[in-house]
Amino acid sequence: MLEKTFDPGPIEARWYAHWERTGAFRPARPEARPFTIVLPPPNVTGTLHIGHALNQTLQDILVRWKRMQGHDARWVVGTDHAGIATQMVVERTLAGQGLSREGLGREAFLARVWAWKAESGGAITRQMRRLGASCDWANERFTMDEAYARAVTRVFVQLHAEGLLYRDKRLVNWDPQFQSAISDLEVENREVNGHFWHLRYPLADGSGHLVVATTRPETMLGDTAVAVHPEDDRFRHLVGRRVAHPLTGRQLPVIADDWADPELGTGAVKITPAHDFNDWAVYERHREIGWINILNPDGTLNDSVPEPYRGLDRFEARRRVVADLEALGLLERVEEKRVQVPHGDRSGAVIEPFLTDQWFVDASRLAKAAREAVATGRTRFVPASWEKTYFQWLDSIQPWCVSRQLWWGHRIPAWYTPDGTVIVAESEAEAQAKAGPGVPLRQDEDVLDTWFSSALWPFATLGWPEATPDLARHYPGDVLVTAFDIIFFWVARMMMQGLHFTGDVPFRTVYCHGLVRDAAGAKMSKSKGNAIDPLVLVDRYGADAVRFTLAALESQGRDVKLDEKRVEGYRNFATKLWNAVRFAQAQGIGAGSEAPPAAAHPVNRWILGEAAAMVRAVTASLEAFRFDQAADALYHFTWSRFCDWYLELAKPLLADGSAAAAETRATAGFVLDQLLKALHPFMPFLTEELWHAQGQRHTDLILAPWPAFAVAPSDAADEITWLIELVSAIRSARTELNVPPAARLPLHAPPAIEARLARHLPALERLARVSALAFAPPAGPGIAQLVVAGETYALPLGEVIDLAAERARLARAAEAAEREAEGLAGRLANPGFLARAKPEAVEKARADHAARLAEAERLRAALARLG
C-alpha cells in the first residue's frame, strides 16, 4: 500500500538511479526508427536556471514520448567548454591564491583549468538529473574532448582551404578587461545616463566652424573625417573642404555620406573608423579618409594620440578632452541624454569597437544554403513566425569573427614563419612539413570562439569526421528545442556548418520556446530579486510539479509567466493522483489488461471513451508541439473526469459485490494504466512509482508502450454527461441557497426519464444528497427549479431553509456585487486610470469586473429559483 502522504524526494532519487543503472535512457533498439534530439550544450561552468528547466523539460517530454512509441530515442547530451566563462572562473580562483594566469604560463594554467573541470565542472548535468532529464549519459560529450577537438580542427582547416576562413583586420567587439574579442551574444546593451557633447571643429581656412555632436568625445582623437548628408542644404557648400582637428592639428576632409542624419544632433558627424562600426562602414565607402587606432588592448590610449593623452584610461581621457576643448572655447554645449552603452555580459566592462587582426568566416557564402534549406522546407520552424527572424539575419549577415584572445579553448591551428607566412594545418607536424625542415614555427596564440565549435554539435557529437554508425543513424536530428534568442548565434550557424560539411540539415524541426518571466511578466534577474531557482522549486514541490507547470505554461509564441502558486497547484494535482491510486489499491484495483475490458455499465463505457479521447488529444498535441494543450488534456481528464467523477460514480458499483464490481475494477485498472502512460513524459517520477504500486509489471513505465486504443461508440457519453450536469446543478443550487450539507432532498423529475434516473439513483444519493425520486410536480413554497439538458427538475426547500431570510441574503449579495461591478466599470472607462495604471493593475480591474458581473448574475439566478 502506498504511503498516506506523497513525498516526491525519495521517489525521485530512487527511480532516477534505477533508470540510469538499467540503461533505460537508450534502450537497444537497432531495428526501431531512430528519434534524435541534441541538447543545447550548457556551459561547463553553469548551474541550472529556470530557462534551462523549461528547455530541458520540453526536450525530455518529447524523448520520453518517442521512446514509449518504440523509437530508438537518443537525446545527445554534453557540455560546452565556455571559453571566457571558464577562464574567468579559474582566474578568479587563482587570484584568491595570490596567483595569476600570466605568472603560471599557458601550459600550467590550462592544467589548472582541466583540474577544475574534473572537480567542479559539469555541476549542471548533475542538476539536470534532478529534473528527470533522460539523456544518453553513456555517450556524454564535451566540446574539448580529443575526438571533438579533431572535428573542430578539420573544419577550420577545410574552411581555410576553401577560402571561407581568412585572417583580416576589422572592427570587433572588444572587452578591455578580458583583452579579447567577444561575440555579439556576449554584449549587453544597457541604457544609462549620458551626454551629447556638441563640439566645434574649425574650418581649415578660418572661415567658421562645424559643430558635431558625440557621446564619446575621447574618440575624436582618432577622427579622420567629418560627414554630412549629401542632400542637407546647410552643409552642401562645405563638402570637399577641410576642418582643422581641434586637438591634433590634422586636417580632416568634409565628406558627403548617407550615414549623417540631418535630424540627429547637428546633422554633421565625426568619423572615427577604428572605433565605431558605422564609421568603419563609412570608411569602406570612402577609403581615402583612412583610419587611426587610438586604443591599447586594455582600454588606455596609445601613442597615436598627442603626448598629453598617452597612457590615460579612456574615461579619464574623455574628461581631459572635454576640459581641453572647453578651455579652447570649442565646447558649444552639453546635452544630457539617455544612451545605449554596450557592456560585456560577464566582465561588466564597457565594450569598445576595436580594430585588430582576427580570423573571420565568410558567413555570407555559407548562409545561402542555410537560408534555402528553411525556405524549401527541409527544416521548419515552430512557430513558423521565427522563420522571418532567421531570414532577416541571414540576409544581412556579416563576416563572423571566430578568434578569441584567450588560453582556454580550441587553439587556432595556424603557424607563422619568421617572415610572417601563415600555415594552416591539422597538426604542427603537418605545418612543419609545409614550411620545410628547420623553419621555425610559432603557433597562433588565439583560440576559437565557442560558437564555432558548438556549431558542429549535431554531427561532431556523433563521431564526424569519421563515418560512424551513430552518424549514419542519428544525423540529421529530428528536433532542436531552443530559446528564440539564439536563433542567430547558434541555430543559424549549426545550419551553415551542418549543410556545408555533411550535405544535410542538422535537424528537421526547430521548436522555439519563449523566455521564462515572473508572474507579472517581468524579465527575471538577480538584481531585481525576482529570479526563480528551479532546484528550490524541486525541493519544495517535487520535480514532477515543476515540469508539469512549465509544460502547461508553454504556449507557442508566448513567454512563460511563472507563478509559484501554479507549481503548488500542480503539486496538489500530483497528490490527487497519488490518493486516487491509494483508493484503487484499497478497492482491489490493480494493473490493467493490455486491451480495453468489455464494459456493460454506462459509467465504465463512458470512462473508456473519455480515456481514449484523452490519449488522442495528448498525442495530437505533442505532434503539434502544443505542450500546453497536452498538459491541459491530461489535467482535465485526471482531476475532473477520472478522480472527481469516475471514482465517485464507481464507488456504488464497487460496493455491491456483483458482476458490475468486477467489471469496474477491470475498467479502472485499465484506464489508470493508460493515464499513467500518457502522463509519464510530463511527470515521470510519480507515474513510475504509481505504475509499480499497481502490481507486478513486466517492464518499467519508461519503456512501456505509448497508449493507443479505441473503444466502440456508445450512448454512454451522453448519459454520463447528463448525470454529471444534473449532480453539478443540484450541488450548485444547494450551495447558492444555503441548504445544510446534511439535509437530504427529494428530486422531482419528468416521468420520461424515470428509468435513467433509477439506474443512477445510488450516485445521486451519494453525490447530490438526494433522498428519493418523485415524478409528480412538488407542492408548497420554496421550490427551486433546475434545467438540465432541456428537462426541468425541482427541489422542495420550504422545510430546510428560511425562505424569507434566504431571499433577503441573496438580494443583498447581488446588489453588492452589482455596485462593485459598476464601480470597476467606471474606473475602466476613465482614460486617466488606463493611462497611469500599470498594465497588471488594469488587467486585474478587468478580471475583477468580469468576476463581479458573473457573481451578480449567479445570485440573481439563485434568487429567481426561489420564485
Side-chain angles (χ1 to χ4, degrees), residues 462-490:
L462 299 173
W464 187 93
E466 304 300 326
T468 64
D470 270 354
L471 185 65
R473 183 163 176 75
H474 291 283
Y475 187 92
D478 292 270
V479 182
L480 175 74
V481 179
T482 182
F484 67 83
D485 56 348
I486 57 172
I487 290 174
F488 310 144
F489 306 104
W490 190 48

CSV table of all heavy atoms in Angstrom, one decimal, residues 462-490:
chain,number,residue,atom,x,y,z
A,462,LEU,N,28.5,12.9,-32.9
A,462,LEU,CA,28.2,11.5,-33.4
A,462,LEU,C,29.4,10.9,-34.1
A,462,LEU,O,29.2,9.9,-34.8
A,462,LEU,CB,27.0,11.6,-34.4
A,462,LEU,CG,25.7,12.1,-33.7
A,462,LEU,CD1,24.6,12.3,-34.8
A,462,LEU,CD2,25.2,11.2,-32.6
A,463,GLY,N,30.6,11.5,-34.0
A,463,GLY,CA,31.8,10.9,-34.5
A,463,GLY,C,32.4,11.5,-35.7
A,463,GLY,O,33.4,11.1,-36.2
A,464,TRP,N,31.7,12.5,-36.4
A,464,TRP,CA,32.2,13.1,-37.5
A,464,TRP,C,33.6,13.7,-37.2
A,464,TRP,O,33.8,14.2,-36.1
A,464,TRP,CB,31.3,14.3,-38.0
A,464,TRP,CG,31.7,14.9,-39.3
A,464,TRP,CD1,31.3,14.5,-40.6
A,464,TRP,CD2,32.6,16.0,-39.5
A,464,TRP,NE1,31.9,15.3,-41.5
A,464,TRP,CE2,32.8,16.2,-40.9
A,464,TRP,CE3,33.4,16.7,-38.6
A,464,TRP,CZ2,33.6,17.2,-41.4
A,464,TRP,CZ3,34.2,17.7,-39.1
A,464,TRP,CH2,34.3,18.0,-40.5
A,465,PRO,N,34.6,13.7,-38.0
A,465,PRO,CA,34.6,13.4,-39.5
A,465,PRO,C,34.6,11.9,-39.9
A,465,PRO,O,34.6,11.6,-41.1
A,465,PRO,CB,35.8,14.1,-40.0
A,465,PRO,CG,36.8,14.1,-38.9
A,465,PRO,CD,35.9,14.2,-37.7
A,466,GLU,N,34.6,11.0,-38.9
A,466,GLU,CA,34.6,9.6,-39.2
A,466,GLU,C,33.2,9.2,-39.6
A,466,GLU,O,32.2,9.8,-39.1
A,466,GLU,CB,35.0,8.7,-38.0
A,466,GLU,CG,36.4,9.1,-37.5
A,466,GLU,CD,37.5,8.9,-38.5
A,466,GLU,OE1,37.4,7.9,-39.3
A,466,GLU,OE2,38.5,9.6,-38.5
A,467,ALA,N,33.0,8.3,-40.5
A,467,ALA,CA,31.7,7.8,-41.0
A,467,ALA,C,31.2,6.7,-40.0
A,467,ALA,O,31.2,5.6,-40.3
A,467,ALA,CB,31.8,7.3,-42.4
A,468,THR,N,30.8,7.2,-38.8
A,468,THR,CA,30.4,6.2,-37.7
A,468,THR,C,29.0,5.8,-37.9
A,468,THR,O,28.1,6.4,-38.5
A,468,THR,CB,30.5,6.9,-36.4
A,468,THR,OG1,29.6,8.0,-36.3
A,468,THR,CG2,31.9,7.5,-36.2
A,469,PRO,N,28.6,4.6,-37.4
A,469,PRO,CA,27.2,4.1,-37.4
A,469,PRO,C,26.3,5.1,-36.7
A,469,PRO,O,25.2,5.3,-37.2
A,469,PRO,CB,27.3,2.8,-36.6
A,469,PRO,CG,28.7,2.3,-36.8
A,469,PRO,CD,29.5,3.6,-36.8
A,470,ASP,N,26.8,5.8,-35.6
A,470,ASP,CA,25.9,6.8,-35.0
A,470,ASP,C,25.6,7.9,-35.9
A,470,ASP,O,24.5,8.4,-35.9
A,470,ASP,CB,26.6,7.3,-33.7
A,470,ASP,CG,26.3,6.5,-32.5
A,470,ASP,OD1,25.5,5.6,-32.6
A,470,ASP,OD2,26.9,6.7,-31.4
A,471,LEU,N,26.6,8.4,-36.6
A,471,LEU,CA,26.3,9.5,-37.5
A,471,LEU,C,25.3,9.1,-38.6
A,471,LEU,O,24.4,9.9,-38.9
A,471,LEU,CB,27.7,9.9,-38.2
A,471,LEU,CG,27.6,11.2,-39.1
A,471,LEU,CD1,27.3,12.4,-38.2
A,471,LEU,CD2,29.0,11.4,-39.8
A,472,ALA,N,25.5,7.9,-39.1
A,472,ALA,CA,24.6,7.5,-40.2
A,472,ALA,C,23.1,7.3,-39.7
A,472,ALA,O,22.2,7.5,-40.4
A,472,ALA,CB,25.1,6.1,-40.8
A,473,ARG,N,23.0,6.9,-38.4
A,473,ARG,CA,21.7,6.6,-37.8
A,473,ARG,C,21.0,7.8,-37.2
A,473,ARG,O,19.8,7.9,-37.3
A,473,ARG,CB,21.9,5.5,-36.8
A,473,ARG,CG,20.5,5.0,-36.2
A,473,ARG,CD,20.7,3.7,-35.5
A,473,ARG,NE,19.5,3.2,-34.8
A,473,ARG,CZ,18.5,2.7,-35.4
A,473,ARG,NH1,18.4,2.6,-36.7
A,473,ARG,NH2,17.4,2.3,-34.7
A,474,HIS,N,21.8,8.7,-36.6
A,474,HIS,CA,21.2,9.8,-35.8
A,474,HIS,C,21.4,11.2,-36.4
A,474,HIS,O,21.1,12.2,-35.7
A,474,HIS,CB,21.7,9.7,-34.4
A,474,HIS,CG,21.1,8.5,-33.7
A,474,HIS,ND1,19.9,8.5,-33.2
A,474,HIS,CD2,21.8,7.4,-33.3
A,474,HIS,CE1,19.7,7.3,-32.6
A,474,HIS,NE2,20.8,6.6,-32.7
A,475,TYR,N,21.9,11.3,-37.6
A,475,TYR,CA,22.0,12.6,-38.3
A,475,TYR,C,21.3,12.5,-39.6
A,475,TYR,O,21.5,11.6,-40.4
A,475,TYR,CB,23.5,13.0,-38.5
A,475,TYR,CG,23.6,14.4,-39.0
A,475,TYR,CD1,23.8,15.5,-38.1
A,475,TYR,CD2,23.6,14.7,-40.4
A,475,TYR,CE1,23.9,16.8,-38.6
A,475,TYR,CE2,23.7,16.0,-40.8
A,475,TYR,CZ,23.9,17.0,-40.0
A,475,TYR,OH,24.0,18.3,-40.4
A,476,PRO,N,20.4,13.5,-39.9
A,476,PRO,CA,20.1,14.6,-39.2
A,476,PRO,C,19.2,14.3,-38.0
A,476,PRO,O,18.5,13.3,-37.9
A,476,PRO,CB,19.2,15.5,-40.2
A,476,PRO,CG,19.5,14.9,-41.5
A,476,PRO,CD,19.8,13.4,-41.3
A,477,GLY,N,19.2,15.2,-37.0
A,477,GLY,CA,18.3,15.0,-35.8
A,477,GLY,C,16.9,15.4,-36.2
A,477,GLY,O,16.6,16.0,-37.3
A,478,ASP,N,16.0,15.0,-35.4
A,478,ASP,CA,14.6,15.2,-35.6
A,478,ASP,C,14.1,16.6,-35.2
A,478,ASP,O,13.5,17.3,-35.9
A,478,ASP,CB,13.7,14.2,-35.0
A,478,ASP,CG,13.9,12.8,-35.6
A,478,ASP,OD1,13.2,12.5,-36.5
A,478,ASP,OD2,14.8,12.1,-35.2
A,479,VAL,N,14.5,17.0,-34.0
A,479,VAL,CA,14.0,18.2,-33.4
A,479,VAL,C,15.1,18.9,-32.6
A,479,VAL,O,15.9,18.3,-31.9
A,479,VAL,CB,12.8,18.0,-32.4
A,479,VAL,CG1,12.3,19.3,-31.8
A,479,VAL,CG2,11.7,17.2,-33.1
A,480,LEU,N,15.2,20.2,-32.8
A,480,LEU,CA,16.0,21.0,-31.9
A,480,LEU,C,15.1,21.9,-31.1
A,480,LEU,O,14.2,22.6,-31.7
A,480,LEU,CB,17.0,21.9,-32.7
A,480,LEU,CG,17.8,22.9,-31.8
A,480,LEU,CD1,18.9,22.2,-31.1
A,480,LEU,CD2,18.4,24.0,-32.7
A,481,VAL,N,15.2,21.8,-29.8
A,481,VAL,CA,14.4,22.7,-28.9
A,481,VAL,C,15.3,23.8,-28.3
A,481,VAL,O,16.3,23.5,-27.7
A,481,VAL,CB,13.8,21.9,-27.8
A,481,VAL,CG1,12.9,22.8,-26.8
A,481,VAL,CG2,12.9,20.8,-28.3
A,482,THR,N,14.9,25.0,-28.6
A,482,THR,CA,15.8,26.1,-28.2
A,482,THR,C,15.0,27.4,-27.9
A,482,THR,O,13.9,27.5,-28.4
A,482,THR,CB,16.9,26.4,-29.3
A,482,THR,OG1,17.8,27.4,-28.9
A,482,THR,CG2,16.2,26.8,-30.6
A,483,ALA,N,15.7,28.2,-27.1
A,483,ALA,CA,15.1,29.6,-26.9
A,483,ALA,C,15.3,30.4,-28.2
A,483,ALA,O,16.2,30.2,-28.9
A,483,ALA,CB,15.7,30.3,-25.8
A,484,PHE,N,14.3,31.3,-28.5
A,484,PHE,CA,14.4,32.0,-29.8
A,484,PHE,C,15.6,33.0,-29.8
A,484,PHE,O,16.0,33.4,-30.9
A,484,PHE,CB,13.1,32.8,-30.0
A,484,PHE,CG,12.9,33.9,-29.0
A,484,PHE,CD1,13.4,35.1,-29.2
A,484,PHE,CD2,12.1,33.7,-27.9
A,484,PHE,CE1,13.3,36.2,-28.3
A,484,PHE,CE2,11.9,34.7,-26.9
A,484,PHE,CZ,12.5,36.0,-27.1
A,485,ASP,N,16.1,33.3,-28.7
A,485,ASP,CA,17.1,34.4,-28.6
A,485,ASP,C,18.5,33.9,-29.1
A,485,ASP,O,19.4,34.7,-29.2
A,485,ASP,CB,17.3,35.0,-27.3
A,485,ASP,CG,17.6,34.0,-26.2
A,485,ASP,OD1,17.4,32.8,-26.4
A,485,ASP,OD2,17.9,34.4,-25.0
A,486,ILE,N,18.7,32.6,-29.4
A,486,ILE,CA,19.9,32.2,-30.0
A,486,ILE,C,19.7,31.6,-31.4
A,486,ILE,O,20.6,30.8,-31.9
A,486,ILE,CB,20.7,31.2,-29.1
A,486,ILE,CG1,19.8,29.9,-28.8
A,486,ILE,CG2,21.2,31.8,-27.8
A,486,ILE,CD1,20.6,28.8,-28.1
A,487,ILE,N,18.7,32.0,-32.1
A,487,ILE,CA,18.5,31.6,-33.5
A,487,ILE,C,19.7,32.1,-34.3
A,487,ILE,O,20.2,31.4,-35.1
A,487,ILE,CB,17.2,32.2,-34.0
A,487,ILE,CG1,16.0,31.5,-33.4
A,487,ILE,CG2,17.1,32.1,-35.6
A,487,ILE,CD1,14.6,32.1,-33.8
A,488,PHE,N,20.1,33.4,-34.0
A,488,PHE,CA,21.2,33.9,-34.8
A,488,PHE,C,22.5,33.2,-34.5
A,488,PHE,O,23.3,32.8,-35.4
A,488,PHE,CB,21.4,35.4,-34.4
A,488,PHE,CG,20.2,36.3,-34.5
A,488,PHE,CD1,20.0,37.3,-33.5
A,488,PHE,CD2,19.2,36.0,-35.4
A,488,PHE,CE1,18.9,38.1,-33.6
A,488,PHE,CE2,18.1,36.8,-35.5
A,488,PHE,CZ,17.9,37.8,-34.5
A,489,PHE,N,22.8,33.1,-33.2
A,489,PHE,CA,24.1,32.8,-32.7
A,489,PHE,C,24.5,31.3,-32.8
A,489,PHE,O,25.6,30.9,-32.9
A,489,PHE,CB,24.3,33.3,-31.3
A,489,PHE,CG,24.0,34.7,-31.2
A,489,PHE,CD1,22.9,35.1,-30.6
A,489,PHE,CD2,24.9,35.7,-31.7
A,489,PHE,CE1,22.5,36.5,-30.5
A,489,PHE,CE2,24.6,37.0,-31.6
A,489,PHE,CZ,23.4,37.4,-31.0
A,490,TRP,N,23.4,30.5,-32.7
A,490,TRP,CA,23.7,29.0,-32.7
A,490,TRP,C,22.9,28.3,-33.8
A,490,TRP,O,23.5,27.5,-34.5
A,490,TRP,CB,23.4,28.5,-31.3
A,490,TRP,CG,23.8,27.1,-31.1
A,490,TRP,CD1,25.1,26.6,-31.4
A,490,TRP,CD2,23.1,26.0,-30.6
A,490,TRP,NE1,25.1,25.2,-31.1
A,490,TRP,CE2,23.9,24.9,-30.6
A,490,TRP,CE3,21.8,25.9,-30.1
A,490,TRP,CZ2,23.5,23.6,-30.1
A,490,TRP,CZ3,21.3,24.6,-29.7
A,490,TRP,CH2,22.2,23.5,-29.7
